[in-house]
Amino acid sequence: MVASFPLFFAGGFAVRLQDDLNISKSQFGLSVSAYFVTSAIGSFTIGSLIDKLGARAGFILAGVGGGVASILIAVSNSFWPFAFALGVAGISNTGGQLAGNRVLAGVGSQRQGLGFGVKQAAVPMGSFIAGAVVGVLGSEIDWRGAFLAYSVFAFCTVFFAPGGPGKASSSEPRRPVGNDWPCLLALAMAGFLGGAAGNGLAVLTVDAFAASGYTESVGATALAIGSGLTIVMRTAIGWFAGRRNASGFVELGFAMALGATAFGLMAASGDSQNLLWVASIMAFLGAWGWPGVMYYTVIRNTTTTPGTATGFVVTGVFMGGIAGAPLLASIAERSSYDTAWITASVMGVIATILVVAASRLSLVKRSLVDA
């Protein structure tokens, strides 16, 4: 959460940030994409380094980078400084995410699902806090002061960075990554589409509610509620997969399909604000509820070292974040949010199909190895 919080805090303050920095919806979306650009560029390399240096290095990167990014956002006065600050947050978040994956790879299989769910629940926790702060305090809080205050917390987390199991040991099974390529590629592509839709939802919710006639505070409240329920969803679906000692593909596909359905309902909400509320909550549960079980699925079904395998898949997820927010924001600006949500729904449908394909590819690989 430490390095991802600046992104979702920015989402909570989206309306005021656009006004104060004099940026459009499209520029705001492009700024968000900078976060995912740096995350995607660094993920595979950072994952390999964490396998060599240990998890603590990744946690330190997250704390320092999250603090620096928050300060840079607080002093931003235009599009480019704001986008640069989110880029710093992005590469820092990669360190924390992959360090957590490295730690959890050493946990027993039945606890892995819950562990990954709790870890990934930290991301919507950041969005929940941001939405709650803006929803409760509204215009009374100064967004620059909020980012500066958070930077202090981020720097303090460095002193509590856990060590974890650290470096990859020579005794870990390391089959060539080629054994896992087909399954990993399908999951990375599903992550790309799911990340595009899900992160676009989280970042644009406040603005979408404002476009439907709600105030900023109401939109932020919807963001907080959706994020809060996402915390429960990520934890519960991970726990359920681990409890069943399952591969994770069924749970992952269910979440993707739920998100696709919810986006379709959001597009069909029209003037019905009640349907918008219900559909947006469903969208958070599905389209933003799958990352924990995604990484659980990667660890359970591949033989590549954890940092390398999850680093490859998370590259797809982050690349989806690069495309998702600016694409959906641009569609909303040029057409409407209804059209944007239809686009997100199509992404979710294709992502669901790719998860099914990854499941089949995993079975094929397993049968070939057993033979």
Side-chain angles (χ1 to χ4, degrees):
M1 185 185 81
V2 177
S4 65
F5 190 83
L7 172 70
F8 298 111
F9 220 11
F13 286 112
V15 176
R16 258 184 287 167
L17 277 167
Q18 291 175 58
D19 291 339
D20 291 352
L21 301 183
N22 193 29
I23 59 178
S24 65
K25 286 184 178 65
S26 295
Q27 287 179 313
F28 184 80
L30 286 171
S31 298
V32 170
S33 73
Y35 173 95
F36 295 101
V37 167
T38 57
S39 296
I41 291 173
S43 58
F44 194 73
T45 301
I46 291 175
S48 298
L49 287 175
I50 287 174
D51 278 334
K52 295 176 182 178
L53 301 177
R56 184 175 175 81
F59 290 127
I60 291 174
L61 172 61
V64 173
V68 171
S70 296
I71 293 174
L72 291 175
I73 292 174
V75 300
S76 295
N77 58 6
S78 62
F79 166 69
W80 287 108
F82 177 59
F84 177 78
L86 287 181
V88 172
I91 198 165
S92 306
N93 178 60
T94 300
Q97 289 282 346
L98 298 181
N101 292 345
R102 175 71 211 167
V103 171
L104 289 172
V107 175
S109 60
Q110 290 195 334
R111 290 185 296 165
Q112 268 184 353
L114 178 61
F116 277 110
V118 171
K119 181 184 84 71
Q120 292 303 130
V123 177
M125 177 64 76
S127 187
F128 171 78
I129 294 172
V133 168
V134 179
V136 173
L137 299 180
S139 59
E140 296 178 14
I141 185 172
D142 173 55
W143 64 267
R144 295 185 189 274
F147 276 105
L148 287 174
Y150 180 74
S151 70
V152 176
F153 169 78
F155 287 131
C156 288
T157 63
V158 172
F159 299 103
F160 303 97
K167 305 173 184 179
S169 67
S170 58
S171 61
E172 289 185 9
R174 294 191 188 182
R175 292 181 184 173
V177 70
N179 286 342
D180 297 321
W181 268 124
C183 180
L184 285 174
L185 182 59
L187 288 173
M189 291 170 65
F192 170 82
L193 293 168
N199 286 292
L201 170 72
V203 172
L204 298 174
T205 292
V206 176
D207 193 64
F209 268 72
S212 296
Y214 286 106
T215 63
E216 179 188 47
S217 293
V218 173
T221 300
L223 175 64
I225 293 173
S227 300
L229 291 175
T230 301
I231 294 169
V232 177
M233 178 66 168
R234 291 190 179 194
T235 304
I237 198 171
W239 171 83
F240 184 71
R243 179 85 172 180
R244 295 197 309 121
N245 200 25
S247 65
F249 286 113
V250 172
E251 292 79 4
L252 180 58
F254 167 77
M256 293 285 192
L258 177 63
T261 302
F263 281 127
L265 291 174
M266 289 178 72
S269 64
D271 296 329
S272 175
Q273 293 183 332
N274 290 334
L275 181 56
L276 176 63
W277 266 98
V278 173
S280 64
I281 296 303
M282 285 178 58
F284 271 100
L285 291 173
W288 217 36
W290 54 264
V293 77
M294 165 72 87
Y295 302 131
Y296 166 86
T297 301
V298 171
I299 295 296
R300 288 302 307 274
N301 295 279
T302 62
T303 52
T304 310
T305 50
T308 302
T310 58
F312 177 75
V313 173
V314 84
T315 299
V317 176
F318 287 146
M319 288 179 68
I322 294 170
L327 173 63
L328 296 179
S330 178
I331 292 173
E333 191 171 46
R334 288 172 168 75
S335 179
S336 67
Y337 268 109
D338 289 347
T339 307
W341 300 140
I342 289 173
T343 304
S345 181
V346 173
M347 291 177 182
V349 170
I350 299 174
T352 304
I353 294 171
L354 285 167
V355 171
V356 174
S359 175
R360 298 294 180 267
L361 290 168
S362 178
L363 289 174
V364 169
K365 187 203 76 169
R366 197 172 303 163
S367 66
L368 291 174
V369 170
D370 292 341

